[in-house]
């Protein structure tokens, strides 16, 4: 593996996966934030003050052809392993807080591999990769320090995850905030974005400068529930729509937090040798946000669900202040960060990610030409829902799947049909697709039609067949989905009002 630029050891800051959260490597941030670069989102330059993130993106390399997964856990899984979710049985939905599953223990994680090369590994924020047994938790998966929460979402102030299943207040709700493996009981009333930024700064301040550092900061913001401090809400009192006003305030708090963390890196002399990566983890949620002009939303394989915005800022970049149109996927960070840390792939499983450092740093062509967005056999249309089975001898087109190959994108199965939602400070408009409800094959030229409005599947059957053959080849490498039933032993009422391991 090639050494890092200049032969120097590099510190990473990945700002947490933002829901349209952003994440930075050593800091990844949230997903609503990322889509703003596309166009008329509720939080654009007119509504929201995003001074820090805009400046960091402009000074670095903006990733305009960058993809993640359509929901939280799968994006994190592929970031941490460099492998598609079909290869470890997590192709269906997210890691649930009451089901005994998680990122399989035989999967090698990014922090585990970085530690082999002498890195200190820190995490602050959202885990969401499983915790039903202690072995699945962050400290057992490669992180030296962890401060954050284990489940998929919670209240920003109380840090409690509410019940998803029962109206009984004693069932399935509890505190979800930990320092290492101990519950944190004294932060009720502290807004999570402020809390996580302060803990990240604390880890930076206490870091031993003789060792390189990996800081993974997946903020809670701006995932639901939409909540923001009053003083930030006041900045947007001219916005009539309450959700948009709250969202604008949340993004402003987040941007301020990013600024505070980057300032700490500079104060402690780490910035000059840091690779700072900002990424989202999925698209905006239906009914809560807008991915305009892209089609679809979170939990769909339309571009609005999977096409993200990210950027890289570093003094180690050879060509900065530019936009990259290179095809990049979240699984690519695994081999890329190992390369620039002078790490090794020894001991890892076969990767689906590519080393894209030269692509980002110098503008070289991307080694990636395809992205398997997913194949989920548990989300299949009933055979009664469509009257013909075109191409069924190649690939079951009732199965929920999508593949990008070159400029082409193929989707099969039930895709929620998607749509295009315009959202402004005081209005919403929704454009519905003009398609038959039982449609289950789509082909788009994404380069020419990123909005996915012009289905070409009837015009180019040879391309459809070729794409289906590729899906079939990927499917032969898949392991069966693991989707265990709910386990009542997970109830926090049985564990001192805390979410945590129960087996």
């Amino acid at each position: 593996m090639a050494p890092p630029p200049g032969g120097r050891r590099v510190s990473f800051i990945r700002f947490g996966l933002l829901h349209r959260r952003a994440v930075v490597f050593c800091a990844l941030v949230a997903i609503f934030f990322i889509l703003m670069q596309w166009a008329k989102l509720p939080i654009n330059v007119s509504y929201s003050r995003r001074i820090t993130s805009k400046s960091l993106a402009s000074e670095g390399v903006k990733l305009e052809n960058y993809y993640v997964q359509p929901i939280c856990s799968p994006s994190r899984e592929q970031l941490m392993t460099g492998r598609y979710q079909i290869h470890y049985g997590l192709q269906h939905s997210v890691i649930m807080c009451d089901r005994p599953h998680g990122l399989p223990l035989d999967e090698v994680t990014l922090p585990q591999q970085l530690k082999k090369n002498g890195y200190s590994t820190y995490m602050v924020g959202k885990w969401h990769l499983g915790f039903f047994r202690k072995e699945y938790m962050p400290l057992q998966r490669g992180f030296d320090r962890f401060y954050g929460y284990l489940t998929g979402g919670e209240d920003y102030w109380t840090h409690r995850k509410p019940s998803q299943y029962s109206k009984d207040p004693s069932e399935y709700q509890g505190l979800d905030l930990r320092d290492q493996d101990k519950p944190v009981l004294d932060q009720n009333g502290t807004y999570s974005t402020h809390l996580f930024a302060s803990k990240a700064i604390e880890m930076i301040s206490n870091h031993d400068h003789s060792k390189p550092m990996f800081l993974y900061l997946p903020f809670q913001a701006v995932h639901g529930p939409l909540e923001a401090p009053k003083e930030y809400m006041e900045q947007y009192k001219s916005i009539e729509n309450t959700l948009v006003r709250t969202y604008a305030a949340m993004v402003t708090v987040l941007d301020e937090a990013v600024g505070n963390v980057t300032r700490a890196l500079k104060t402690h002399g780490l910035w000059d040798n840091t690779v700072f990566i900002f990424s989202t983890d999925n698209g905006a949620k239906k009914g809560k946000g807008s991915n305009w002009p892209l089609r679809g939303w979170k939990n769909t394989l339309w571009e609005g669900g999977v096409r993200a915005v990210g950027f890289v800022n570093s003094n180690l970049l050879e060509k900065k202040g530019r936009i990259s149109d290179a095809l990049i996927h979240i699984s690519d960070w695994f081999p890329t960060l190992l390369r620039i840390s002078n790490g090794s792939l020894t001991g890892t499983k076969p990767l689906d990610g590519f080393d894209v450092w030269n692509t980002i740093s110098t503008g070289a062509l991307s080694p990636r030409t395809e992205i398997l967005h997913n194949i989920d056999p548990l989300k299949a249309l009933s055979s009664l829902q469509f009257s013909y089975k075109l191409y069924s001898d190649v690939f079951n087109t009732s199965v929920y799947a999508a593949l990008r190959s070159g400029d082409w994108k193929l989707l099969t199965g039930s895709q929620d049909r998607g749509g295009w939602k315009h959202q402004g400070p005081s209005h919403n408009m929704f454009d519905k697709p003009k398609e038959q409800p039982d449609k289950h094959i789509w082909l788009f030229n994404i380069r020419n039609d990123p909005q996915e409005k012009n289905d070409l599947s009837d015009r180019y059957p040879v391309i459809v067949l070729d794409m289906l053959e590729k899906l079939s080849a990927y499917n032969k490498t898949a392991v069966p989905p693991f989707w265990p039933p709910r386990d009542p032993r997970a109830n926090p009422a049985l564990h001192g009002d805390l979410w945590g391991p129960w087996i």
Side-chain angles (χ1 to χ4, degrees), residues 391-403:
Y391 306 109
S392 61
D393 58 328
V394 178
F395 181 81
N396 182 357
T397 57
S398 74
V399 171
Y400 176 82
L403 173 69

Side-chain angles (χ1 to χ4, degrees), residues 172-395:
Y172 288 98
Q173 55 179 306
L175 179 68
D176 184 14
L177 185 64
R178 289 177 180 258
D179 185 350
Q180 297 294 81
D181 59 356
K182 304 297 183 184
V184 176
L185 306 176
D186 62 353
Q187 293 299 327
N188 186 1
T190 304
Y191 190 66
S192 77
T193 306
H194 289 149
L195 178 61
F196 293 156
S198 69
K199 291 299 176 181
I201 292 170
E202 181 181 304
M203 291 182 188
I204 292 169
S205 301
N206 295 332
H207 174 66
D208 178 357
H209 288 200
S210 68
K211 299 181 65 176
M213 172 182 68
F214 174 64
L215 171 61
Y216 173 48
L217 178 53
F219 281 107
Q220 180 179 0
V222 291
H223 192 276
L226 298 187
E227 299 172 329
K230 290 181 180 178
E231 61 268 29
Y232 293 88
M233 294 282 287
E234 186 67 18
Q235 297 180 32
Y236 300 99
K237 58 185 178 182
S238 62
I239 299 178
E240 296 178 5
N241 186 304
T242 301
L243 286 178
V244 175
R245 183 166 65 251
T246 305
Y247 182 64
M250 294 174 73
V251 171
T252 299
V253 181
L254 179 66
D255 185 75
E256 181 182 282
V258 172
N260 291 337
V261 173
T262 55
R263 191 176 302 112
L265 289 167
K266 295 173 182 178
T267 299
H268 292 278
L270 296 172
W271 180 255
D272 288 346
N273 214 34
T274 288
V275 174
F276 181 99
I277 304 169
F278 182 102
S279 168
T280 59
D281 67 347
N282 52 248
K285 189 175 181 179
K286 183 179 181 180
K288 293 290 181 66
S290 170
N291 299 312
W292 175 260
L294 300 181
R295 182 175 183 173
W297 33 75
K298 178 178 180 176
N299 207 20
T300 73
L301 296 176
W302 303 110
E303 292 291 285
V306 297
R307 192 161 184 168
V309 174
F311 66 81
V312 179
N313 188 302
S314 176
N315 289 330
L316 304 179
L317 295 168
E318 294 187 32
K319 295 181 180 179
K320 299 188 287 186
R322 63 183 183 86
I323 295 173
S324 171
D325 191 40
L327 188 63
I328 296 174
H329 184 251
I330 194 168
S331 63
D332 297 333
W333 296 121
F334 186 98
T336 301
L337 295 186
L338 287 180
R339 182 268 179 92
I340 62 178
S341 66
N342 203 24
S344 170
L345 295 176
T346 302
T348 64
K349 292 187 176 183
L351 298 182
D352 298 302
F354 292 84
D355 172 7
V356 293
W357 177 253
N358 289 342
T359 301
I360 295 170
S361 179
T362 70
L365 291 176
S366 174
R368 176 177 288 282
T369 59
E370 287 187 358
I371 296 174
L372 177 66
H373 293 300
N374 199 17
I375 302 173
D376 182 359
L378 297 186
K379 287 182 68 173
L381 286 164
S382 164
S383 60
L384 300 177
Q385 289 183 270
F386 54 92
S387 57
Y388 60 95
K389 293 187 177 181
L390 189 63
Y391 306 109
S392 61
D393 58 328
V394 178
F395 181 81

